[in-house]
Amino acid sequence: MQLIDSFGRVATDLRVSLTDRCNLRCSYCMPAEGMQWLPSPEVLTDDEVVRLVTIATGELGVTAVRFTGGEPLLRRGLEDIVARVRAAAPDVEIALTTNGIGLARRAQALADAGLSRINVSLDTLRRDRFIALARRDRLDDVLAGLHAAHAAGLRPVKVNAVLIRSVNEDEAAELLEFCLQHDFELRFIEQMPLDADQAWRRENVVTAEEILRQLGERFTLTPVAGRGSSPAEHWIVDGGPATVGVIASVTRPFCRACDRTRLTADGQVRNCLFATGETDLRGLLRGDTEDGAIAQRWREAMWGKAAAHGGGSAESPSTGFAASNRSMSLIGG
């Protein structure tokens, strides 16, 4: 039996956070001094991660798994986890979202382990802005990681970019030109209220409309009809074949088509990115609970999913947000 909620949505996409730790300190994610990390005993072991993912793919109908963080490349056993999930679920798409630091030396090993594709966060091409945003001088490492992923066959290599007002809001066209030149697929993401400092303000969001207006000054954009359960709306660039995507989580919520379930690094199921409650699976794992009972608890967690974040209905979700009890670095991207 699949992960179905009371509104008929089916969760087939699993996001798994492997760690809450990160080697950047992006201003829209965490404080400059970092955060209080989860104690190691609270983090799922490699065996526990593989077991839960196997339950999801084998008993709950999950067809796509994405490993996230924090920064998942900080997880020492990452390649082994990927390989074990691939062996248990040969037909499942396995993806990774990363900041790209360290990817240059691991991209081929990840591809060999069975990783399907990769998303790399890159918000700016200008070193001074990268340092201001990430509070680290690591732009060259990110760019090297992108090229290594492409060479390893992890295609399409997707680039995720968040534009921040008064910081990099004028770089939409520059980022797209860069991605077109290097055969990367670009997606812009509206900044969401998931920063640890809780400094997010709706009026500071660089909206999808603004991004598309910038792009339209340099490129001809043709909308792609329909997006299914994808969070991104896509446009064909200059007649194709390249496309650009925009995830308008704030101004054009897509709750009606949401197909995601989330697992935090400490083994909690979240049925929505903005959920204020969680369901503990780690305790069941460590209490010798059988797989079938764990799967049933997961189904119950998903059945209680709200119609939409911030109130409203799945057909017409609110553009407001209830405060999340975790920041993005703790939930997983």
Side-chain angles (χ1 to χ4, degrees):
M1 182 177 173
Q2 294 177 299
L3 293 170
I4 304 172
D5 67 31
S6 61
F7 301 94
R9 295 168 297 195
V10 181
T12 57
D13 185 326
L14 170 62
R15 304 296 170 102
V16 183
S17 175
L18 294 177
T19 178
D20 60 325
R21 299 173 186 251
C22 190
N23 41 18
L24 296 182
R25 297 291 183 270
C26 295
S27 59
Y28 56 81
C29 186
M30 66 173 64
E33 64 274 14
M35 301 178 66
Q36 183 173 348
W37 310 123
L38 290 168
S40 294
E42 293 185 13
V43 177
L44 294 176
T45 66
D46 291 3
D47 288 346
E48 289 170 338
V49 169
V50 172
R51 184 181 172 194
L52 286 176
V53 174
T54 302
I55 290 171
T57 58
E59 299 194 31
L60 298 173
V62 165
T63 58
V65 177
R66 174 175 296 279
F67 292 114
T68 72
E71 175 43 54
L73 289 177
L74 294 179
R75 183 82 180 221
R76 291 183 180 179
L78 176 59
E79 288 86 352
D80 185 57
I81 290 172
V82 171
R84 292 171 65 186
V85 170
R86 173 58 67 213
D91 299 325
V92 167
E93 180 181 83
I94 305 175
L96 181 76
T97 294
T98 172
N99 63 27
I101 295 174
L103 181 59
R105 65 177 181 272
R106 298 176 70 179
Q108 189 60 60
L110 286 165
D112 293 343
L115 191 69
S116 307
R117 60 183 183 83
I118 200 159
N119 286 28
V120 179
S121 298
L122 177 65
D123 302 320
T124 178
L125 296 166
R126 306 182 194 183
R127 186 176 305 279
D128 58 335
R129 291 181 174 184
F130 187 96
I131 294 170
L133 277 167
R135 303 187 179 106
R136 300 288 189 274
D137 186 5
R138 305 299 296 271
L139 176 59
D140 290 344
D141 297 287
V142 178
L143 297 177
L146 279 166
H147 294 301
H150 191 275
L154 294 171
R155 305 174 191 171
V157 175
K158 294 189 177 182
V159 173
N160 292 343
V162 177
L163 298 185
I164 308 297
R165 197 170 301 285
S166 301
V167 179
N168 65 336
E169 64 182 309
D170 60 342
E171 280 193 72
E174 187 175 340
L175 284 163
L176 180 52
E177 185 63 46
F178 168 79
C179 289
L180 292 174
Q181 289 175 358
H182 297 284
D183 192 29
F184 304 146
E185 186 176 314
L186 178 61
R187 302 190 311 171
F188 292 99
I189 305 173
E190 289 182 341
Q191 184 190 1
M192 292 178 282
L194 291 164
D195 57 310
D197 291 331
Q198 297 187 343
W200 181 91
R201 296 292 180 271
R202 172 65 177 77
E203 59 270 20
N204 291 332
V205 173
V206 180
T207 67
E209 182 179 354
E210 293 175 83
I211 294 167
L212 292 169
R213 187 183 308 124
Q214 281 190 52
L215 296 178
E217 293 174 357
R218 187 182 301 186
F219 306 96
T220 299
L221 302 181
T222 305
V224 177
R227 66 183 186 188
S229 59
S230 170
E233 297 177 84
H234 288 90
W235 283 261
I236 298 169
V237 181
D238 290 342
T243 62
V244 63
V246 180
I247 300 177
S249 306
V250 175
T251 61
R252 304 176 190 173
F254 43 87
C255 301
R256 180 180 59 81
C258 183
D259 66 346
R260 296 181 180 180
T261 181
R262 296 176 180 274
L263 187 64
T264 66
D266 55 349
Q268 311 300 304
V269 166
R270 294 178 68 91
N271 59 26
C272 173
L273 183 60
F274 294 96
T276 55
E278 300 173 336
T279 299
D280 179 28
L281 297 188
R282 185 189 64 203
L284 296 180
L285 286 173
R286 297 179 181 179
D288 297 325
T289 305
E290 294 183 351
D291 288 1
I294 294 174
Q296 183 56 32
R297 182 67 64 85
W298 203 329
R299 292 187 190 100
E300 292 167 359
M302 294 306 297
W303 182 257
K305 184 173 183 172
H309 62 70
S313 67
E315 294 294 335
S316 181
S318 168
T319 56
F321 294 87
S324 174
N325 60 348
R326 295 209 201 201
S327 67
M328 179 63 91
S329 64
L330 291 169
I331 297 170

